[in-house]
Amino acid sequence: MTVTHDVGTRRSFAVMDGTTSMFRQLEKRVVAVEAAIAAIETDRAVNEEKRKFMEARFNQIDRRLDKIDGHISRLVWLIIAAILGGFMSFAMQGNILNV
């Protein structure tokens, strides 16, 4: 459909079929962009939940490692105390200089 308007000596034409088709194409593009944005938002939300889970998991592992570190520290002190106790016992019996 073509509409003609007389403006002075010039005529202006507006092609309605072309604009309708252009609007349909634009609408398809907008729908595609909205779908892409929804997919991106879903992906971002999933990644955020994964990050929260991983952070909680790492915090749990850190607590376990701290406990293990504390136990190793106690064992080291126990071994050092046993060595020193043995040495002191040996020294108190007088066997150090064979006196």
Side-chain angles (χ1 to χ4, degrees):
M1 165 194 253
T2 305
V3 177
T4 306
H5 299 285
D6 287 332
V7 180
T9 60
R10 272 192 272 159
R11 291 184 177 169
S12 62
F13 295 94
V15 180
M16 296 304 251
D17 293 334
T19 54
T20 303
S21 140
M22 183 178 68
F23 281 129
R24 285 185 187 142
Q25 289 175 352
L26 287 175
E27 184 177 356
K28 288 178 184 177
R29 289 179 66 187
V30 167
V31 168
V33 168
E34 287 174 344
I37 288 173
I40 289 170
E41 287 176 348
T42 302
D43 188 46
R44 192 175 75 190
V46 167
N47 286 337
E48 180 67 23
E49 289 301 315
K50 285 181 182 178
R51 186 193 62 78
K52 286 180 186 177
F53 174 75
M54 292 301 290
E55 187 175 321
R57 184 75 175 142
F58 283 130
N59 287 339
Q60 190 178 37
I61 290 171
D62 282 343
R63 284 192 299 273
R64 287 180 180 173
L65 288 176
D66 287 341
K67 286 182 181 179
I68 291 170
D69 187 40
H71 293 303
I72 289 174
S73 177
R74 286 182 187 166
L75 284 173
V76 168
W77 279 110
L78 183 64
I79 291 170
I80 290 172
I83 291 172
L84 285 175
F87 179 74
M88 291 301 289
S89 174
F90 187 71
M92 294 303 259
Q93 290 176 2
N95 293 333
I96 231 174
L97 299 174
N98 284 332
V99 179

